[in-house]
Amino acid sequence: MMSHAHGCVISTIFLSLGSRCLTACEDKVINVYRVDDASLLYNLRGHQQSIILLQTDEQTATAQTASEDGTIRLWDLLTGACIHKLSGLIGPVLNLQISSNYIAASSLESLICIWDKSNGRMLHSIHRTNTSFTGAIAIIADSLLISGGAHNTLYFWDLECGELVYTIQLPITNNCEGVSKLTVVDGSTLVIAVGSHIYSIVFPHLSPDRL
């Protein structure tokens, strides 16, 4: 079976709920299809520029999309309705992270925003003029946000209060390219990509007051 999805090259494909396929591209539209017969169920519209990030949450039957217009939208996958529109970032969204209670995203000019997932209210805007963030972020234990710095530095932020609680300096390599990617594995292991190097940090009992 084949379905004509978009009028441009598809940049993102995501499967959700075991029966739906979501596609997005530069036409600013997310298409939602039924997997078994490739029929189009509905379109998700609202972004003003290209959609660059797409995620789904199986437990809540929602999707999260980020756009070059600097906004993030939460969608109800059962109805196609937009639940929340999140704004406050500068320029294109560089990274998007979702946890049980929080949504965090990074953008240009070393800006990170944190929202309450349940009501879409912005909780914190982190903008440090003396710190060069790379845009790489991750959420661990639903309590800490980790952001990567340009000088191989990791910054740990308390999601509840938005304060910096800890800093880790990674080994400096010959080509100091900064932290390019952060990934959380099994809820307690942080994998960090720095140039051509990979590091891992294990936090067996992770909470802000233990750091």
Side-chain angles (χ1 to χ4, degrees), residues 16 41 144 193:
S16 181
L41 297 175
L144 288 178

Side-chain angles (χ1 to χ4, degrees), residues 112 133-134 136-138 145-149 153-157 179 182:
I112 298 172
F133 294 139
T134 60
I137 59 173
L145 172 74
I146 305 102
S147 61
T153 306
L154 296 176
Y155 302 91
F156 290 73
W157 308 86
V179 177
L182 296 171

Side-chain angles (χ1 to χ4, degrees), residues 163 177 208:
E163 295 182 358
E177 301 177 8

Side-chain angles (χ1 to χ4, degrees), residues 36-196:
D36 57 3
D37 61 2
S39 61
L40 178 64
L41 297 175
Y42 47 78
N43 307 114
L44 306 179
R45 299 177 180 270
H47 285 296
Q48 300 303 307
Q49 295 185 40
S50 300
I51 297 162
I52 51 180
L53 295 170
L54 167 63
Q55 297 183 16
T56 63
D57 187 334
E58 298 289 328
Q59 293 184 339
T60 60
T62 59
Q64 301 84 34
T65 55
S67 170
E68 289 185 350
D69 63 17
T71 66
I72 297 164
R73 288 177 179 263
L74 275 67
W75 309 89
D76 185 330
L77 289 180
L78 299 180
T79 66
C82 180
I83 303 171
H84 301 302
K85 175 186 176 182
L86 312 180
S87 57
L89 297 168
I90 299 174
V93 180
L94 300 179
N95 203 313
L96 173 65
Q97 294 292 314
I98 312 293
S99 71
S100 298
N101 297 303
Y102 301 98
I103 297 172
S106 61
S107 69
L108 301 178
E109 300 189 20
S110 298
L111 177 63
I112 298 172
C113 292
I114 302 169
W115 297 269
D116 186 311
K117 184 179 178 181
S118 64
N119 56 28
R121 180 173 63 90
M122 181 185 286
L123 301 175
H124 312 292
S125 178
I126 301 172
H127 185 202
R128 292 166 61 90
T129 56
N130 60 340
T131 301
S132 180
F133 294 139
T134 60
I137 59 173
I139 294 176
I140 193 166
D142 201 33
S143 61
L144 288 178
L145 172 74
I146 305 102
S147 61
H151 301 289
N152 294 16
T153 306
L154 296 176
Y155 302 91
F156 290 73
W157 308 86
D158 187 316
L159 281 167
E160 185 175 356
C161 66
E163 295 182 358
L164 181 65
V165 294
Y166 200 70
T167 301
I168 291 179
Q169 180 66 56
L170 299 172
I172 301 296
T173 59
N174 292 333
N175 297 319
C176 185
E177 301 177 8
V179 177
S180 59
K181 182 72 174 178
L182 296 171
T183 302
V184 176
V185 180
D186 295 332
S188 61
T189 301
L190 180 66
V191 180
I192 310 111
V194 180
S196 59

